[in-house]
Amino acid sequence: MRPVCAALPLLALLAPVPASAADARDAAAVLNDPATQERMADTITALVGAMMQMPVGPLAEAVARIDPSSDAARIPPDATVGDVAGRDPGYAERMGGDVRASARMAGHAAS
């Protein structure tokens, strides 16, 4: 759930936000565009995939030095976000699918 919350601000960067009510039609058209939906989904898929590969071992080591009784002391030095969060090879693709569906729903709601 946390990666979903982290990805939501990215949607705001990917889709233009109407400056006024007159621009709402343009926003709806953009959100209803299948090519835009695909670009948004592909971007989120790539970002989440990259995030899951980010190393957290060095951070865990620093935390363990400060608090040796913390759970960070049990994280391997070569661990990634995906290792700590739980390996799910299809997660990034599902997140992209969720973004695609959310953009479609937002487009319909704005229409």
PDB file of all heavy atoms in Angstrom, residues 13 17 20-21 23 31 37 40 43 53 56 68 76 78 90 92 101:
ATOM      1  N   LEU A  13       2.271  14.763 -11.539  1.00  0.00           N
ATOM      2  CA  LEU A  13       3.302  15.293 -12.425  1.00  0.00           C
ATOM      3  C   LEU A  13       3.101  14.853 -13.863  1.00  0.00           C
ATOM      4  O   LEU A  13       3.508  15.529 -14.792  1.00  0.00           O
ATOM      5  CB  LEU A  13       4.686  14.833 -11.952  1.00  0.00           C
ATOM      6  CG  LEU A  13       5.105  15.332 -10.578  1.00  0.00           C
ATOM      7  CD1 LEU A  13       6.412  14.678 -10.171  1.00  0.00           C
ATOM      8  CD2 LEU A  13       5.227  16.835 -10.570  1.00  0.00           C
ATOM      9  N   VAL A  17      -2.802  19.456 -14.862  1.00  0.00           N
ATOM     10  CA  VAL A  17      -3.864  19.853 -13.956  1.00  0.00           C
ATOM     11  C   VAL A  17      -4.510  21.110 -14.524  1.00  0.00           C
ATOM     12  O   VAL A  17      -3.819  22.060 -14.870  1.00  0.00           O
ATOM     13  CB  VAL A  17      -3.299  20.125 -12.545  1.00  0.00           C
ATOM     14  CG1 VAL A  17      -4.384  20.599 -11.607  1.00  0.00           C
ATOM     15  CG2 VAL A  17      -2.626  18.876 -12.001  1.00  0.00           C
ATOM     16  N   SER A  20      -8.143  26.203 -14.690  1.00  0.00           N
ATOM     17  CA  SER A  20      -9.475  26.747 -14.454  1.00  0.00           C
ATOM     18  C   SER A  20     -10.505  25.721 -14.901  1.00  0.00           C
ATOM     19  O   SER A  20     -10.172  24.699 -15.497  1.00  0.00           O
ATOM     20  CB  SER A  20      -9.645  28.055 -15.235  1.00  0.00           C
ATOM     21  OG  SER A  20      -9.639  27.773 -16.622  1.00  0.00           O
ATOM     22  N   ALA A  21     -11.748  26.022 -14.630  1.00  0.00           N
ATOM     23  CA  ALA A  21     -12.820  25.100 -15.018  1.00  0.00           C
ATOM     24  C   ALA A  21     -12.877  24.935 -16.531  1.00  0.00           C
ATOM     25  O   ALA A  21     -13.249  23.875 -17.032  1.00  0.00           O
ATOM     26  CB  ALA A  21     -14.155  25.595 -14.478  1.00  0.00           C
ATOM     27  N   ASP A  23     -10.453  24.610 -18.499  1.00  0.00           N
ATOM     28  CA  ASP A  23      -9.444  23.640 -18.917  1.00  0.00           C
ATOM     29  C   ASP A  23      -9.818  22.203 -18.540  1.00  0.00           C
ATOM     30  O   ASP A  23      -9.096  21.272 -18.887  1.00  0.00           O
ATOM     31  CB  ASP A  23      -8.094  23.979 -18.291  1.00  0.00           C
ATOM     32  CG  ASP A  23      -7.522  25.272 -18.833  1.00  0.00           C
ATOM     33  OD1 ASP A  23      -7.873  25.641 -19.974  1.00  0.00           O
ATOM     34  OD2 ASP A  23      -6.726  25.899 -18.119  1.00  0.00           O
ATOM     35  N   LEU A  31      -6.719  12.642 -20.067  1.00  0.00           N
ATOM     36  CA  LEU A  31      -6.858  11.430 -19.252  1.00  0.00           C
ATOM     37  C   LEU A  31      -7.584  10.318 -19.993  1.00  0.00           C
ATOM     38  O   LEU A  31      -7.379   9.143 -19.697  1.00  0.00           O
ATOM     39  CB  LEU A  31      -7.578  11.751 -17.937  1.00  0.00           C
ATOM     40  CG  LEU A  31      -6.757  12.566 -16.940  1.00  0.00           C
ATOM     41  CD1 LEU A  31      -7.629  13.024 -15.795  1.00  0.00           C
ATOM     42  CD2 LEU A  31      -5.570  11.767 -16.435  1.00  0.00           C
ATOM     43  N   GLN A  37      -2.578   7.253 -21.159  1.00  0.00           N
ATOM     44  CA  GLN A  37      -2.726   6.240 -20.119  1.00  0.00           C
ATOM     45  C   GLN A  37      -1.564   5.250 -20.166  1.00  0.00           C
ATOM     46  O   GLN A  37      -1.022   4.872 -19.121  1.00  0.00           O
ATOM     47  CB  GLN A  37      -4.054   5.511 -20.276  1.00  0.00           C
ATOM     48  CG  GLN A  37      -5.257   6.384 -20.046  1.00  0.00           C
ATOM     49  CD  GLN A  37      -6.552   5.711 -20.470  1.00  0.00           C
ATOM     50  OE1 GLN A  37      -6.573   4.562 -20.896  1.00  0.00           O
ATOM     51  NE2 GLN A  37      -7.661   6.444 -20.359  1.00  0.00           N
ATOM     52  N   MET A  40       1.647   6.944 -18.857  1.00  0.00           N
ATOM     53  CA  MET A  40       1.599   7.046 -17.401  1.00  0.00           C
ATOM     54  C   MET A  40       1.878   5.688 -16.761  1.00  0.00           C
ATOM     55  O   MET A  40       2.676   5.588 -15.820  1.00  0.00           O
ATOM     56  CB  MET A  40       0.237   7.587 -16.955  1.00  0.00           C
ATOM     57  CG  MET A  40       0.012   9.030 -17.314  1.00  0.00           C
ATOM     58  SD  MET A  40      -1.690   9.595 -17.047  1.00  0.00           S
ATOM     59  CE  MET A  40      -1.865   9.421 -15.298  1.00  0.00           C
ATOM     60  N   THR A  43       5.515   4.671 -17.188  1.00  0.00           N
ATOM     61  CA  THR A  43       6.392   5.457 -16.320  1.00  0.00           C
ATOM     62  C   THR A  43       6.354   4.932 -14.892  1.00  0.00           C
ATOM     63  O   THR A  43       7.398   4.729 -14.259  1.00  0.00           O
ATOM     64  CB  THR A  43       5.997   6.946 -16.356  1.00  0.00           C
ATOM     65  OG1 THR A  43       6.103   7.417 -17.698  1.00  0.00           O
ATOM     66  CG2 THR A  43       6.872   7.781 -15.444  1.00  0.00           C
ATOM     67  N   GLN A  53      14.521  -2.139  -6.666  1.00  0.00           N
ATOM     68  CA  GLN A  53      15.903  -2.586  -6.783  1.00  0.00           C
ATOM     69  C   GLN A  53      16.889  -1.702  -6.014  1.00  0.00           C
ATOM     70  O   GLN A  53      18.080  -1.990  -5.985  1.00  0.00           O
ATOM     71  CB  GLN A  53      16.307  -2.636  -8.254  1.00  0.00           C
ATOM     72  CG  GLN A  53      15.533  -3.662  -9.043  1.00  0.00           C
ATOM     73  CD  GLN A  53      15.861  -3.611 -10.521  1.00  0.00           C
ATOM     74  OE1 GLN A  53      16.876  -3.074 -10.931  1.00  0.00           O
ATOM     75  NE2 GLN A  53      14.982  -4.174 -11.328  1.00  0.00           N
ATOM     76  N   VAL A  56      19.098  -1.019   0.261  1.00  0.00           N
ATOM     77  CA  VAL A  56      18.804  -0.470   1.589  1.00  0.00           C
ATOM     78  C   VAL A  56      19.770  -1.000   2.641  1.00  0.00           C
ATOM     79  O   VAL A  56      19.714  -0.580   3.790  1.00  0.00           O
ATOM     80  CB  VAL A  56      17.347  -0.763   2.023  1.00  0.00           C
ATOM     81  CG1 VAL A  56      16.360  -0.043   1.159  1.00  0.00           C
ATOM     82  CG2 VAL A  56      17.068  -2.241   2.072  1.00  0.00           C
ATOM     83  N   PRO A  68      21.410  -1.087  17.923  1.00  0.00           N
ATOM     84  CA  PRO A  68      21.707  -2.496  17.628  1.00  0.00           C
ATOM     85  C   PRO A  68      20.541  -3.456  17.878  1.00  0.00           C
ATOM     86  O   PRO A  68      20.514  -4.552  17.324  1.00  0.00           O
ATOM     87  CB  PRO A  68      22.875  -2.822  18.559  1.00  0.00           C
ATOM     88  CG  PRO A  68      23.444  -1.510  18.962  1.00  0.00           C
ATOM     89  CD  PRO A  68      22.318  -0.520  18.888  1.00  0.00           C
ATOM     90  N   PRO A  76      20.259  -7.931   5.569  1.00  0.00           N
ATOM     91  CA  PRO A  76      21.554  -8.205   4.939  1.00  0.00           C
ATOM     92  C   PRO A  76      22.132  -6.963   4.269  1.00  0.00           C
ATOM     93  O   PRO A  76      21.392  -6.088   3.808  1.00  0.00           O
ATOM     94  CB  PRO A  76      21.240  -9.271   3.880  1.00  0.00           C
ATOM     95  CG  PRO A  76      19.882  -9.771   4.192  1.00  0.00           C
ATOM     96  CD  PRO A  76      19.183  -8.730   4.992  1.00  0.00           C
ATOM     97  N   ASP A  78      23.387  -6.515   1.422  1.00  0.00           N
ATOM     98  CA  ASP A  78      23.076  -6.360  -0.008  1.00  0.00           C
ATOM     99  C   ASP A  78      21.564  -6.335  -0.274  1.00  0.00           C
ATOM    100  O   ASP A  78      21.118  -6.480  -1.411  1.00  0.00           O
ATOM    101  CB  ASP A  78      23.722  -7.478  -0.824  1.00  0.00           C
ATOM    102  CG  ASP A  78      23.234  -8.856  -0.421  1.00  0.00           C
ATOM    103  OD1 ASP A  78      22.644  -8.999   0.674  1.00  0.00           O
ATOM    104  OD2 ASP A  78      23.436  -9.802  -1.203  1.00  0.00           O
ATOM    105  N   GLY A  90       5.819  -9.409 -10.112  1.00  0.00           N
ATOM    106  CA  GLY A  90       4.815  -8.754 -10.945  1.00  0.00           C
ATOM    107  C   GLY A  90       4.271  -7.462 -10.368  1.00  0.00           C
ATOM    108  O   GLY A  90       3.358  -6.861 -10.930  1.00  0.00           O
ATOM    109  N   ALA A  92       5.436  -4.303 -10.039  1.00  0.00           N
ATOM    110  CA  ALA A  92       5.550  -3.080 -10.842  1.00  0.00           C
ATOM    111  C   ALA A  92       4.554  -3.091 -11.994  1.00  0.00           C
ATOM    112  O   ALA A  92       3.919  -2.070 -12.289  1.00  0.00           O
ATOM    113  CB  ALA A  92       6.981  -2.913 -11.362  1.00  0.00           C
ATOM    114  N   ALA A 101      -5.811   2.052 -15.065  1.00  0.00           N
ATOM    115  CA  ALA A 101      -7.238   2.020 -14.704  1.00  0.00           C
ATOM    116  C   ALA A 101      -7.649   3.309 -13.978  1.00  0.00           C
ATOM    117  O   ALA A 101      -8.736   3.847 -14.235  1.00  0.00           O
ATOM    118  CB  ALA A 101      -7.529   0.803 -13.832  1.00  0.00           C
TER     119      ALA A 101
END
